[in-house]
Amino acid sequence: MSATATPELKNSGLQGQVAGKTAICAVNQTELIYRGYEIADLAANATFEEVAYLLLIGAKPSASELASFKKELIAERQLPALVTEVIRKTATLPNAVPMDILRTAVSVLGHLDPQCQDVSKEADLAKAKRLTAKIPTIIGHMQNVIDGRDIVEPDPSLDHAANLLYMMTGTKPSAEAAHVMDVSLVLYAEHDFNASTFTTRVIAGTLSDMHGAVAGGIAALKGPLHGGANEAAMDMLKEIKVDTASGTMNVEQWMQRAFTEKRKLMGFGHRVYKNGDHRATILNDLGRAVAEKQGPDSTKWFDMGDQVQAIMLRDKNIFPNVDFPCGMTYFVMGIPVPQYTPIFVASRITGWAAHIIEQHSNNKLIRPIAEYVGPTNLRWK
Amino acid sequence: MSATATPELKNSGLQGQVAGKTAICAVNQTELIYRGYEIADLAANATFEEVAYLLLIGAKPSASELASFKKELIAERQLPALVTEVIRKTATLPNAVPMDILRTAVSVLGHLDPQCQDVSKEADLAKAKRLTAKIPTIIGHMQNVIDGRDIVEPDPSLDHAANLLYMMTGTKPSAEAAHVMDVSLVLYAEHDFNASTFTTRVIAGTLSDMHGAVAGGIAALKGPLHGGANEAAMDMLKEIKVDTASGTMNVEQWMQRAFTEKRKLMGFGHRVYKNGDHRATILNDLGRAVAEKQGPDSTKWFDMGDQVQAIMLRDKNIFPNVDFPCGMTYFVMGIPVPQYTPIFVASRITGWAAHIIEQHSNNKLIRPIAEYVGPTNLRWK
């Protein structure tokens, strides 16, 4: 018998415990703030590049600061040949998912970064810009390899979000698709001490380097209890569609069966938000607008999503989080489901990097203690 | 001005805060226990393979359990060709250190593991054995590539520690060298919620996979405030030797200068241990015994180390941690300094894997909250 199955090993998961201070982001029941700006304000008025500057540098850019920041990002989009080669050799391996390939690609990028071992603020900021610029290219190249297409090089005439969609498909996106992607990147950019950001801070707190911290962040974000939920939410909706297609079961019955089976429904609830996720309604409205232009084959997903959300709220008093509308939105935009969480990384890299810089600038090793509940006083001989 | 330099951002690093329960290890002022067994007992009486079994399975193995466990490890030592190829292409890159290459190699190993995406206890245990078996081979192959030698395949007739030394050099180690390596692996195998283990638990807590969690653990262990300290301690001793060689300065003067300059001296102090690290004296005695057989060119390092330790204790009341004697011990054994922390990984993989299994078996997302100290009420437009 292993000790690991004992119920007293259930932990609190640091729920509600303050693990440190930050000047980057505030998450609470009434608001989500990036460096002083409320998320609805940013979603309506700022581009992803502006938000990236805000998070990384700490203040809203002037027009000329923004222009040179965008130029820096565009100049850094290309991947070193070795990273592309590693993507080619791994992206179609049967046991790997895109989040794994992205983790490896970022790890290899570190080996080729001239400032990899430098944890100064200047070096961290330069590496943050390079990672922000290159991660969409990793995603694009990976998707082209998976689809058996030629790799699509970045287009310097396109903004960050539009270029990401372009590299994934080889087709320049509509202005509307680019805008929706841009807003989703704004919404996903930062969220204080979520599990992946906390991972990057624990790693950076040993004075380890940014690429290693980001590789760890990607590993954490992959999990279905974290970033992986946007993929899992869409997979669940597809499952509901299949199960209800024959007419023997409707959405209400599907949900009641799920409740009876105590199944975990993805894209619902949040460790911090108890009265709803500020980002969910913004993205739900945008995604539905995209679907409505496309017609009933697309709106049916949002109609089904509305039903599911209403039943969850009525019976369980649980609100959707941002991952629920994100799944449907990316789906109607035609993005392959296993890239939803990598796209989350393309956004969250800015928040992670801001936290790594903040951690390195005021460093203290993050090392809690454990309560030991195992055996004692054993002798080997 | 950036907000990241404000002094109120200094965090507590969760010092003294309980982050969860574990049945794997207890670290306190009077003892270090692995699943009920005290570290001095294990260092004197158990091999690394026995300790690996103890940590992963949860109890001391019988003779036949141990025999089949060792057989499983030996059968899993070989690397997939793609991992070896990635090591060949990255190990000599000028911006990479061995800990980075090891992180990438483990990340790629995940893509080739048939159970990569399975987080069940059975799959986790199988993956833990494979990682424990293969990490020494990654280190060995990497060192051969760095040295421009042919790769040395694992020798199934050798135990874990001896085979690690053999693969790094192509020469079978003496029984004494193999024993010292084995004891150092026992000492490094587990240490409750240290920063790298805590990293693996935060990653695993999202229900992400073991290879990703271990890649994050490697990134955390690399830092000089954590595993990187064994390399940094030896680098410091080499610097003292150079600075004192001309006779214009002795060790006492070097130390006083370091104190005046408020320099951080590596391999000293510990977040938990305040009266000394239980592992340090065990390894110091073993390392000195190796040095004494070799003669004065080796013992001089331990003599210098004794002086440095005595001055630190006298003037600062700070004890060495295990990384201090480890640096000297691996040095007199002829191991290249940048492999000290990768060898630490070859041991700690067992503790990390045990914690990942424990986390997955009683999972709760690890997601603390942050205290926001940044600006408020800004408007973008």
Side-chain angles (χ1 to χ4, degrees), chain A residues 4 21 60 85 89 380, chain B residues 11 60 85 89 362 380:
Chain A
T4 56
K21 298 170 187 173
K60 182 181 170 180
E85 184 188 337
K89 290 200 167 148
W380 195 261
Chain B
N11 288 319
K60 183 181 171 179
E85 185 188 336
K89 291 202 166 147
N362 294 274
W380 194 261

Side-chain angles (χ1 to χ4, degrees), chain B residues 181-204:
Chain B
M181 176 54 67
D182 188 70
V183 176
S184 76
L185 296 182
V186 168
L187 295 175
Y188 267 139
E190 169 49 15
H191 216 235
D192 83 10
F193 284 7
N194 62 86
S196 59
T197 304
F198 190 53
T199 297
T200 67
R201 289 193 77 127
V202 177
I203 295 172

Side-chain angles (χ1 to χ4, degrees), chain A residues 255-331:
Chain A
M255 292 291 287
Q256 296 307 324
R257 188 183 66 181
F259 294 152
T260 305
E261 292 170 353
K262 296 193 189 307
R263 177 172 168 172
K264 170 132 182 94
L265 298 180
M266 307 311 290
F268 285 93
H270 194 273
R271 172 64 66 85
V272 179
Y273 297 129
K274 298 306 167 198
N275 309 310
D277 180 329
H278 313 304
R279 304 162 297 179
T281 44
I282 298 171
L283 197 53
N284 199 76
D285 291 349
L286 265 177
R288 181 175 270 286
V290 172
E292 278 171 1
K293 287 203 185 153
Q294 294 175 350
D297 274 357
S298 293
T299 52
K300 72 181 177 203
W301 292 105
F302 283 84
D303 294 341
M304 185 194 287
D306 285 348
Q307 269 189 283
V308 170
Q309 292 177 63
I311 295 166
M312 276 296 277
L313 192 59
R314 180 196 71 201
D315 289 6
K316 300 290 171 183
N317 198 31
I318 298 176
F319 289 85
N321 58 50
V322 67
D323 296 314
F324 190 80
C326 179
M328 297 187 289
T329 302
Y330 286 172
F331 188 79

